[in-house]
């Protein structure tokens, strides 16, 4: 309940030019293990019916520990990169976040390199969390 309003605010800040999905099937390549449901996806598409390329931000929600969500989030980011390539949208970076709602950690995938921001961002500094998400999307804008 904490995460959705934050992502909806980001969508509003981008004048609804991006779409927001929650709990959708994001099977990209089952043979490579890139299948399953994503907690949250932001895409540069105004359409809200289907996930369209390019996917730019994925958020993995974990109930207990941020570290447990890092590998899953990276797999989702790799899936998004492949999904975008297949859709003819090769954007420079895919961004990800792992959160327990009150604490956020951010990731970035460029090519085959994953960068993990080792800082943890707390919901009490919501402007910082929103700023990081906004900046990630703004840098990816086609």
């Amino acid at each position: 309940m904490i995460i959705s309003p934050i992502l909806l605010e980001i969508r509003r800040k981008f004048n609804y030019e991006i779409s927001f999905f929650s709990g959708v099937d994001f099977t990209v390549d089952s043979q490579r293990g890139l299948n399953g449901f994503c907690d949250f996806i932001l895409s540069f598409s105004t359409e809200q019916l289907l996930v369209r390329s390019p996917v730019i931000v994925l958020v993995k929600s974990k109930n207990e520990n941020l570290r447990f969500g890092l590998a899953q989030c990276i797999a989702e980011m790799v899936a998004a990169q492949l999904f975008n390539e297949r859709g003819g949208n090769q954007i420079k970076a895919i961004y990800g976040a792992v959160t327990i709602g009150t604490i956020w950690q951010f990731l970035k995938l460029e090519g085959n390199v994953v960068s993990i921001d080792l800082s943890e961002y707390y919901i009490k500094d919501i402007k910082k969390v929103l700023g990081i998400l906004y900046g990630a999307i703004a840098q990816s804008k086609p």
Side-chain angles (χ1 to χ4, degrees):
M1 294 301 217
I2 297 172
I3 301 164
S4 290
I6 293 168
L7 298 179
L8 288 170
E9 175 63 13
I10 289 294
R11 185 169 183 256
R12 188 190 65 74
K13 285 189 178 290
F14 277 92
N15 296 318
Y16 304 95
E17 294 175 359
I18 59 175
S19 55
F20 166 64
F21 299 91
S22 179
V24 297
D25 181 28
F26 195 59
T27 298
V28 176
D29 189 335
S30 296
Q31 292 181 345
R32 291 176 57 189
L34 302 175
N35 59 299
F37 290 84
C38 285
D39 294 327
F40 302 96
I41 296 175
L42 292 173
S43 171
F44 273 123
S45 169
T46 56
E47 182 180 310
Q48 284 290 143
L49 298 174
L50 300 170
V51 177
R52 300 260 186 227
S53 177
V55 170
I56 46 170
V57 176
L58 296 110
V59 178
K60 185 72 198 161
S61 172
K62 294 309 273 183
N63 292 331
E64 62 285 339
N65 187 320
L66 291 176
R67 305 259 184 273
F68 293 141
L70 291 175
Q72 253 182 319
C73 189
I74 292 168
E76 290 175 4
M77 293 165 66
V78 169
Q81 187 179 56
L82 183 58
F83 181 80
N84 289 342
E85 288 172 5
R86 288 180 181 167
N89 290 298
Q90 294 191 13
I91 60 174
K92 183 179 176 185
I94 304 293
Y95 293 90
V98 178
T99 182
I100 59 172
T102 56
I103 305 171
W104 293 66
Q105 190 167 12
F106 295 95
L107 303 87
K108 180 179 181 181
L109 172 65
E110 288 185 280
N112 293 326
V113 178
V114 174
S115 302
I116 301 173
D117 183 345
L118 298 178
S119 299
E120 293 178 348
Y121 299 90
Y122 294 84
I123 199 71
K124 67 181 182 180
D125 193 8
I126 188 63
K127 288 183 180 179
K128 185 74 170 174
V129 171
L130 287 169
I132 292 168
L133 288 168
Y134 186 91
I137 295 167
Q139 288 178 19
S140 301
K141 198 167 185 177

